[in-house]
Amino acid sequence: MSVSRPVRTGLAIALLASAAVACGDAGGLRGAGSTPTATSPARLWPQLTPASSPAWNIDEADTEVVKGVTVPGDDLREVDPVAIVRAEIAAHPKDYRGPDAIYRDTTARMAACTNKSTDGKATGRTANADTTAAGKCPVLQPYYRDLTGDGRADLTLGFRLLPGDAPDLTAVRVYTVDKHRLLRVMAWEDAVSAVELAGRSVIIRSPSDLADYEYRLQWTWDPEQKAMLLTHDEMLRTHHGHRPGRPSPTTTPTARPSSTADPGPTPSPSVTP
C-alpha cells in the first residue's frame, strides 16, 4: 500500500523531531551564548610621517670575519674556542685592554684557559665556566650544531664579560664558515639565565626587573642576510618566584626590539673542542 505525500511528510517531520529530542537528551550541541563582536585593527595617528631609519642600533645582520683564526678543513670542531675569544679581544682593545677597559678582567683571566695544540689535544690548564674565583677561565663550553642549514656544524660560544658595569654579563656568539673563513654571524651581551638551541634558532633567557617575569629572545638564521636575526623579543611569566634585576647590555645592542624553544643542552664546566 502506498503512502500519500502529505502522510510521508508528516512522518518525516515526526522522525526529525524525535531525533532532535533524542540528540538533546544525549548531550548534543548547545548554544554557547553570544560571541564578542570582531573588531578590525585601528590605525593610530595616520598623519604621522613614517620613520625612515631605526632609532637604535641593534646590530641586525651584523657579521664579522674573525682575523687570525683559520678553520682546518672548514670544520669548526678543529678551531680552538679560546683562540676565537683571544682574537675578539685583539680586535676590540678598547673594551678589553688597559686599566680603564670595561672588560679588562676577562683579558686577565684568559691566562687560565686551555690552549688547543695542533694535534687537537688540549694543553695547559683546564678552562672552567666558574668565573667567581680569581684566575678562572671566562670561556664557556662550546656547542656545535647546524644552525645555517648547510649540513655542517656551526659554533655557539659564550664567555663571561668581567668586570663590566653589571654583574653576570655574558657574551653569546655564533660562528659559521664562509669561503673558508671563520665568520661571526651573531653577537649579543646580556645578563643570561639560560641559552637554548632549537632548529635554526638560538634562544637567550634573561632576568627581568619584574618579579616572576623574564625576557626571552630568539635569534634565527636568515639565509638571505646570511646572519642570525633577532626574530622574537618578549617578556614571559616564569612562575619561578622573584628574579633579580636585569642589567641592560653595555656594548653592542642597546635596545630590545621583539622566543619559544625546546630545552637546549646544559653547559658543562670545561672547554672541550
Side-chain angles (χ1 to χ4, degrees):
M1 182 179 68
S2 63
V3 180
S4 65
R5 180 176 180 181
V7 173
R8 291 199 303 268
T9 302
L11 290 173
I13 294 174
L15 289 173
L16 289 173
S18 175
V21 171
C23 183
D25 292 342
L29 296 177
R30 295 183 180 179
S34 60
T35 57
T37 304
T39 57
S40 61
R43 181 182 177 186
L44 305 185
W45 309 304
Q47 74 281 4
L48 189 65
T49 302
S52 59
S53 60
W56 295 282
N57 176 23
I58 58 170
D59 291 344
E60 292 140 322
D62 180 32
T63 62
E64 181 177 299
V65 174
V66 181
K67 298 180 179 180
V69 179
T70 59
V71 186
D74 289 348
D75 186 356
L76 284 172
R77 296 180 184 273
E78 298 299 320
V79 180
D80 185 358
V82 173
I84 296 175
V85 178
R86 292 189 190 280
E88 176 163 332
I89 291 173
H92 304 278
K94 183 178 178 180
D95 294 330
Y96 295 100
R97 297 189 183 278
D100 297 327
I102 189 171
Y103 305 132
R104 58 191 178 276
D105 286 358
T106 295
T107 303
R109 295 187 184 186
M110 290 298 294
C113 296
T114 297
N115 294 320
K116 186 177 180 182
S117 62
T118 55
D119 61 2
K121 297 180 180 180
T123 61
R125 286 164 285 188
T126 301
N128 196 306
D130 179 13
T131 59
T132 57
K136 298 296 185 179
C137 177
V139 183
L140 306 179
Q141 177 180 341
Y143 288 97
Y144 302 90
R145 180 180 293 190
D146 182 10
L147 296 173
T148 60
D150 62 359
R152 297 179 301 190
D154 301 298
L155 168 62
T156 303
L157 185 62
F159 58 95
R160 302 302 303 277
L161 297 172
L162 305 162
D165 290 336
D168 300 326
L169 206 60
T170 302
V172 180
R173 305 286 188 261
V174 175
Y175 300 90
T176 190
V177 179
D178 179 67
K179 300 177 181 178
H180 312 297
R181 305 170 302 174
L182 180 63
L183 182 67
R184 191 194 71 197
V185 294
M186 175 199 152
W188 184 256
E189 294 89 31
D190 211 338
V192 173
S193 301
V195 180
E196 303 163 353
L197 301 179
R200 301 284 181 258
S201 298
V202 178
I203 293 89
I204 300 177
R205 301 172 184 263
S206 299
S208 165
D209 291 327
L210 297 178
D212 302 334
Y213 285 86
E214 70 176 1
Y215 291 102
R216 192 161 65 178
L217 293 83
Q218 178 172 322
W219 300 78
T220 304
W221 172 254
D222 187 297
E224 293 185 2
Q225 297 296 329
K226 296 187 181 300
M228 304 289 291
L229 301 185
L230 183 55
T231 52
H232 292 82
D233 183 2
E234 54 190 345
M235 177 182 284
L236 300 175
R237 191 168 182 83
T238 63
H239 304 290
H240 296 324
H242 179 69
R243 305 292 295 270
R246 174 186 175 277
S248 298
T250 55
T251 52
T252 44
T254 56
R256 311 189 71 90
S258 181
S259 198
T260 52
D262 301 324
T266 302
S268 64
S270 61
V271 168
T272 54

